[in-house]
Amino acid sequence: MKFFLDTANIDEIREANATGLLDGVTTNPSLIKKSGRDFFEVITEIAKEVKGPVSAETVAHDHETMLKEGLKCAKIADNIAVKVPLTIEGLKTCKALRAEGIMVNVTLCFSANQALLAAKAGATFISPFVGRHDDIGFDGMDLIQDIRTIYDNYEFNTQILVASVRHPVHIHQAALIGADVATFPADVMKKLANHPLTTNGLAAFDKDWAATGFSIL
Ligand code: E4P
């Protein structure tokens, strides 16, 4: 399972990348706004920092303009995945960008049928939003399971990128289902490693080791 960081904050990306566990980055217009930085400047910097796919989202709603935006974004670096919305115009753009060999992440997916369309359009990644689904009283993970089943039924290569992740339980469930990628904020990455029994166990070992007076180095 690949781990992407869902942020446009370069400091968070550098810190996560230093673990050696980071496989890519996703951004969206809201995250770009939050970074307070120029779109092209920050995407260029992220794409240099991270070897794996870096999603840069288009903002036009019509196919022609969206395609121009996507082609421009793809020129930033070889590891750019152009993000397009799950609309008919977005799917047309996905197909056109894929024909150029450009990675495409189809975003704002909220149904299995939408995910089926994205796979048929040749998407590299489909981004179903689990947290926003939970917010309105549906279990976002049911959607991930349905997409996994459909993609396996037809042997689609589109990678399921679980997005709008809010907490470690989402990651646990996504991994059990067999999602290909999860993208999440930096605090979730830290929460994945934390366990009170690990913390307590380490403190006990520290205390006993100090009492021995031994040194390994
Ligand atoms: C990532 O590609 C999505 O844009 C992001 O995960 C959305 O997350 P949110 O629902 O927390 O805004």
Side-chain angles (χ1 to χ4, degrees):
M1 187 183 195
K2 291 174 202 154
F3 283 177
F4 289 2
L5 212 61
D6 198 23
T7 183
N9 180 314
I10 193 71
D11 295 330
E12 288 178 352
I13 292 165
R14 288 203 174 109
E15 191 184 346
N17 207 20
T19 65
L21 300 174
L22 190 64
D23 300 301
V25 170
T26 49
T27 67
N28 63 35
S30 305
L31 293 171
I32 296 293
K33 177 177 178 256
K34 199 172 162 194
S35 78
R37 297 184 57 193
D38 172 76
F39 173 74
F40 284 102
E41 182 192 285
V42 76
I43 294 289
T44 303
E45 202 171 332
I46 295 169
K48 271 189 197 143
E49 172 69 28
V50 177
K51 281 205 182 99
V54 173
S55 288
E57 190 156 343
T58 55
V59 289
H61 288 202
D62 68 288
H63 165 62
E64 205 176 290
T65 319
M66 202 188 297
L67 182 57
K68 279 186 198 155
E69 289 178 352
L71 291 170
K72 192 169 171 187
C73 289
K75 284 203 180 97
I76 296 173
D78 289 344
N79 57 336
I80 294 295
V82 175
K83 232 171 155 187
V84 299
L86 212 154
T87 59
I88 294 294
E89 298 297 290
L91 293 168
K92 275 159 69 178
T93 308
C94 173
K95 190 112 190 161
L97 290 169
R98 293 297 294 133
E100 298 294 321
I102 294 166
M103 287 188 286
V104 179
N105 176 357
V106 180
T107 190
L108 288 167
C109 171
F110 292 94
S111 80
N113 281 338
Q114 287 182 316
L116 179 56
L117 290 174
K120 285 181 68 66
T124 316
F125 302 103
I126 180 67
S127 286
F129 280 30
V130 294
R132 293 192 198 185
H133 237 154
D134 294 353
D135 290 344
I136 59 159
F138 290 91
D139 186 347
M141 282 300 154
D142 287 347
L143 174 60
I144 304 303
Q145 182 62 72
D146 284 355
I147 299 172
R148 179 76 282 157
T149 301
I150 291 167
Y151 281 11
D152 288 350
N153 283 349
Y154 297 99
E155 298 182 356
F156 284 123
N157 291 325
T158 299
Q159 296 178 53
I160 303 172
L161 195 172
V162 181
S164 188
V165 163
R166 303 271 161 80
H167 48 69
V169 177
H170 280 148
I171 307 291
H172 181 188
Q173 292 172 327
L176 286 174
I177 291 167
D180 303 282
V181 192
T183 189
F184 42 82
D187 68 308
V188 173
M189 182 106 166
K190 287 177 186 153
K191 285 176 188 168
L192 291 179
N194 286 343
H195 197 289
L197 292 181
T198 306
T199 308
N200 294 348
L202 201 53
F205 288 156
D206 282 351
K207 196 172 164 220
D208 289 343
W209 184 251
T212 68
F214 296 145
S215 167
I216 292 178
L217 296 178

